[in-house]
Amino acid sequence: MPLNPSTRARSRGTSVSLAAETEESSAIRDAVSRYFQSSDHLRRGVCLLNAGQFSLASRAFAEASEINPDSRSLAAMMAACHVGHARYAAAAEDFADAAEAGANDVTNRVRQALALWKDSQPSKAILAFRDALRDHPDSAELHFQLGILLAGLGQTDEAELRFTQSISIDREHTESLVSLALCHAARGEPAQAKKFLLRAQRIMPHDARIAHLLTQAVTALAEQGLNVSVQAHIPPVSQVDSGAIELLSHVVEQEPDFIDAFLLLPSSHKLDDPDREVYSVLARTLHLALNRNPDNPELHCAVGRIHEQLGNTNKAVLSTEEALSLDPALVHGLIQLARLYARTDREDEAVARLEEAIRLGANYADAYYLLGSLYQGKGDDSLARQAYRSALALNEKYEAARQALASLAA
């Protein structure tokens, strides 16, 4: 039986309350649910678009955008949940500082120009971009950003040239493709708009906004009486977002308890495909954090819990053993390893780990109940009875322990 996450938190000496964890888990559950709902609408919309059901496709993309307006990846949705909590503020600030330190000259020039634009100095912003392009003529991003500002000033001809130049430098600059498509759409050229939007959609199949714009262009062609067919890409189930995973890894590095909120998700959903994706993202996140902190026992223990959820029991055992080799007194690690050993028919080792955990202060009803189950399995009814009574002394409403004790009496 898995230990209550609030018990694990107390065994680490933290002050996280059960109410706070429940609130956080609720926020995570909502974010994960919204991600998968949006993904379902998006995938259905692409199928409808390819089938020529443009009105229904448009409605599906609109629903996807409403649920997940920025078409965030799963990792980004998870990061947004956690960084908003005060106890992760330091980790978020560290990540922001790291990003700032790694910013290149082009990025800084873009920021400078956009700051001038926001300060109501459009002519200086345009000049700043032109100066930057003299130093970096092959920067697709600079051409794109200048094009956006020019379009905002109504200078659409040069804006279109900038978007075209951006694409010639970087054929996969998605926003330039979309902007160029919008230029054609504004001129009443839906066929050209469709061409560029289809390219963008194939690069970014998870972006509901692009898919919606593509549907609008195709609908305009159909309304002209043209026979239109589309072969848009159906988004893959898993979306990789390295930036968001990097952020999550910094959060985990500062606060490994963050994993506990995911373990509060309803257990009945942990084996279906969506939750496998959630735990796969967490596994990647933790391994990234471990690359920076290979001697952190809490991170190794967290990796073990995630492998356990993914059904990788042998990997879970190895990760938890590594955690305990770094910190033999890690109480929740001892209990976790005992549970894993019990699952792999290593009852004697499981008992030894639990007895050690209790000696170190693991005065938890769940720990005693698991120990009683192991004693009972070994035929040590007297010790099992003592363990079940200890569990009930700590939690008189522990029904599983009460029934186990009654079975011994019978």
Side-chain angles (χ1 to χ4, degrees), residues 105-106 109-110 112-113 126-137 139 142:
D105 185 51
V106 167
R109 301 288 280 273
V110 169
Q112 175 195 9
I126 296 292
L127 183 60
F129 272 124
R130 295 194 191 282
D131 288 343
L133 278 167
R134 276 194 290 271
D135 296 332
H136 305 280
S139 170
L142 284 173

Side-chain angles (χ1 to χ4, degrees), residues 144-182:
F144 163 71
Q145 294 288 352
L146 177 55
I148 290 293
L149 297 197
L150 290 168
L153 294 172
Q155 300 178 32
T156 54
D157 289 343
E158 186 184 351
E160 188 171 339
L161 288 173
R162 293 296 175 180
F163 298 141
T164 303
Q165 181 65 18
S166 176
I167 295 168
S168 70
I169 295 169
D170 179 1
R171 289 180 56 81
E172 295 193 348
H173 197 289
T174 313
E175 289 304 319
S176 292
L177 288 165
V178 172
S179 299
L180 192 54
L182 293 175

Side-chain angles (χ1 to χ4, degrees), residues 110-322:
V110 169
R111 289 174 179 168
Q112 175 195 9
L114 293 180
L116 290 167
W117 178 271
K118 291 177 181 177
D119 195 37
S120 301
Q121 301 183 63
S123 58
K124 288 187 177 180
I126 296 292
L127 183 60
F129 272 124
R130 295 194 191 282
D131 288 343
L133 278 167
R134 276 194 290 271
D135 296 332
H136 305 280
D138 295 328
S139 170
E141 185 64 19
L142 284 173
H143 283 286
F144 163 71
Q145 294 288 352
L146 177 55
I148 290 293
L149 297 197
L150 290 168
L153 294 172
Q155 300 178 32
T156 54
D157 289 343
E158 186 184 351
E160 188 171 339
L161 288 173
R162 293 296 175 180
F163 298 141
T164 303
Q165 181 65 18
S166 176
I167 295 168
S168 70
I169 295 169
D170 179 1
R171 289 180 56 81
E172 295 193 348
H173 197 289
T174 313
E175 289 304 319
S176 292
L177 288 165
V178 172
S179 299
L180 192 54
L182 293 175
C183 289
H184 285 290
R187 286 205 303 271
E189 300 171 355
Q192 286 296 100
K194 173 203 166 189
K195 180 180 74 172
F196 290 111
L197 286 167
L198 187 56
R199 283 176 58 184
Q201 193 275 338
R202 288 173 174 172
I203 297 167
M204 295 285 289
H206 286 94
D207 196 314
R209 174 185 60 103
I210 294 173
H212 202 176
L213 290 171
L214 174 60
T215 305
Q216 291 175 339
V218 172
T219 301
L221 288 170
E223 289 173 350
Q224 294 177 4
L226 299 174
N227 186 13
V228 186
S229 66
V230 183
Q231 288 299 316
H233 282 193
I234 297 176
V237 173
S238 181
Q239 178 182 3
V240 177
D241 187 338
S242 299
I245 288 176
E246 173 77 15
L247 173 55
L248 278 174
S249 73
H250 283 272
V251 173
V252 173
E253 192 175 320
Q254 297 290 327
E255 185 52 76
D257 281 351
F258 135 91
I259 298 298
D260 286 341
F262 288 90
L263 298 179
L264 282 169
L265 295 174
S267 59
S268 60
H269 298 305
K270 284 178 182 172
L271 296 181
D272 59 18
D273 289 339
D275 284 300
R276 286 196 68 81
E277 187 175 351
V278 171
Y279 288 112
S280 293
V281 168
L282 289 173
R284 288 186 57 194
T285 299
L286 286 164
H287 282 298
L288 192 59
L290 272 174
N291 286 339
R292 293 191 298 268
N293 300 271
D295 297 328
N296 186 320
E298 291 284 3
L299 290 178
H300 284 285
C301 202
V303 170
R305 297 209 301 279
I306 297 305
H307 278 308
E308 183 179 4
Q309 294 300 330
L310 287 169
N312 302 327
T313 305
N314 289 336
K315 289 183 178 180
V317 168
L318 291 174
S319 294
T320 312
E321 287 176 339
E322 178 65 21

